[in-house]
Amino acid sequence: MVRARTEERRAEIVRAAVEVIAERGYRGAALGTVAERVGLTQQGLLHYFPTKEALLVAVLEERDRWDTGGGARAMADTWRPDLLASLVEYNAMRPGIVQTFSALLGESVTDGHPAREFFAERYAQVRAAMADVLRAEFGERLPSGLTPDQAAPLLAAVMDGLQYQWLLDPETVDMPGTFRAFLDLIQGTEAT
């Protein structure tokens, strides 16, 4: 019973953090603001999430569950390449979450960063899931000649690299259009 209430409270805090990030962006998402939204002090919030990074990782984990219907591995069971393009379009509508993901990803490459393990595990799962998605669609060789295992890290790299470019210059970088063009390229189809 206590554990269930703790999990409910953590979920409430994560939802509030998502709202604050959407409104104020990554840098403006102060722990105090999130705590206030859920009726806690900042110290009370730290009982559930000991650091801002821990809360932001929980937000990203929740984002992955929303985006893929259960996390990166669940993607392989339900996704197709065209749905990946839809996910990129959806991301273009939520810059605060994309900014949080990108900022934490960049910081996580340093030794000892609290989000490092999250991103290392996430990328391993994403690469495997994307390879499975491509394998289900094309078999062991894409029309472009790449294997699913060769194309999967390219898909992840392009998705995340486009996010950085789009965040820096959203008026110039057409994130969804460029990603669709990349899908055409790896699938060996004519650009749409």
Side-chain angles (χ1 to χ4, degrees):
M1 185 81 160
V2 171
R3 182 180 169 104
R5 280 196 301 253
T6 298
E7 288 305 312
E8 286 175 22
R9 189 62 154 165
R10 285 177 58 88
E12 179 185 11
I13 292 166
V14 169
R15 283 191 302 273
V18 168
E19 291 171 5
V20 171
I21 290 166
E23 293 167 10
R24 301 179 183 198
Y26 165 73
R27 294 274 178 226
L31 286 178
T33 306
V34 175
E36 189 176 296
R37 291 253 172 126
V38 294
L40 290 171
T41 64
Q42 186 168 329
Q43 197 61 31
L45 180 100
L46 293 173
H47 170 74
Y48 296 95
F49 297 96
T51 64
K52 181 178 181 180
E53 287 81 9
L55 176 57
L56 294 175
V57 166
V59 166
L60 294 176
E61 289 170 341
E62 186 65 19
R63 178 200 84 142
D64 281 355
R65 280 191 288 281
W66 293 334
D67 289 353
T68 62
R73 284 303 305 157
M75 178 189 303
D77 297 330
T78 58
W79 284 68
R80 300 179 318 269
D82 60 311
L83 291 177
L84 294 175
S86 297
L87 176 59
V88 173
E89 288 175 8
Y90 180 53
N91 281 342
M93 295 185 290
R94 52 188 190 162
I97 294 294
V98 172
Q99 184 185 49
T100 300
F101 175 89
S102 299
L104 273 179
L105 173 59
E107 293 172 2
S108 74
V109 300
T110 60
D111 289 335
H113 191 277
R116 185 179 182 100
E117 184 178 329
F118 166 79
F119 281 107
E121 288 177 13
R122 182 184 186 280
Y123 273 111
Q125 291 175 353
V126 164
R127 286 189 305 269
M130 286 186 176
D132 290 347
V133 165
L134 293 169
R135 195 170 284 108
E137 185 86 7
F138 301 106
E140 290 303 319
R141 186 86 41 197
L142 280 69
S144 65
L146 294 172
T147 67
D149 292 325
Q150 291 170 324
L154 293 173
L155 273 170
V158 169
M159 286 177 86
D160 292 348
L162 280 172
Q163 286 183 161
Y164 278 110
Q165 293 179 56
W166 173 74
L167 287 168
L168 291 168
D169 193 359
E171 298 302 317
T172 303
V173 177
D174 175 7
M175 186 169 60
T178 304
F179 185 73
R180 285 190 186 280
F182 180 72
L183 281 178
D184 289 342
L185 179 69
I186 67 166
Q187 294 177 96
T189 58
E190 295 278 329
T192 55

